[in-house]
Amino acid sequence: QPSSRWDFYLCGVPRPADLGPPVLWEEERLAAACSGREHALCPWVDIRKAFYADWWVRRQRLRARLSPLFPPGTFTLQHFVWAAAAVNSRMW
């Protein structure tokens, strides 16, 4: 298949494990980072997760139209959060 004009960009997008923002951390890792401390990190992560979940819900109709074009399991909240974090990491 011919390469896409997006290949160069897509090859530079990190995998979820390589990206690193706390919004992608496992619950155990986040809890360990926040335990016993007055920390701005955990409230920030909760706010970001709520933001992404709200965004996810509001795009339900678009996902319904695109879903038949992709393999099952492609459109998940977890994938959406990773994609948003990956794009945001490349914007600044």
Side-chain angles (χ1 to χ4, degrees):
Q1 195 175 55
S3 50
S4 163
R5 64 185 176 142
W6 293 100
D7 278 354
F8 180 77
Y9 175 78
L10 293 174
C11 288
V13 175
R15 294 172 301 191
D18 299 332
L19 195 54
V23 75
L24 297 175
W25 290 359
E26 300 280 333
E27 291 299 322
E28 296 81 22
R29 181 178 177 191
L30 186 59
C34 296
S35 67
R37 298 185 189 136
E38 211 39 53
H39 209 292
L41 175 66
C42 293
W44 179 87
V45 170
D46 292 340
I47 289 167
R48 284 313 277 178
K49 284 183 176 182
F51 170 78
Y52 287 136
D54 180 59
W55 218 24
W56 172 254
V57 168
R58 289 186 286 131
R59 280 145 186 90
Q60 188 169 354
R61 282 189 293 193
L62 175 61
R63 285 194 320 276
R65 287 196 319 245
L66 293 175
S67 286
L69 304 174
F70 293 90
T74 299
F75 294 109
T76 66
L77 177 58
Q78 182 179 9
H79 289 165
F80 177 75
V81 171
W82 163 78
V87 169
N88 286 334
S89 76
R90 298 305 187 251
M91 290 175 53
W92 312 111

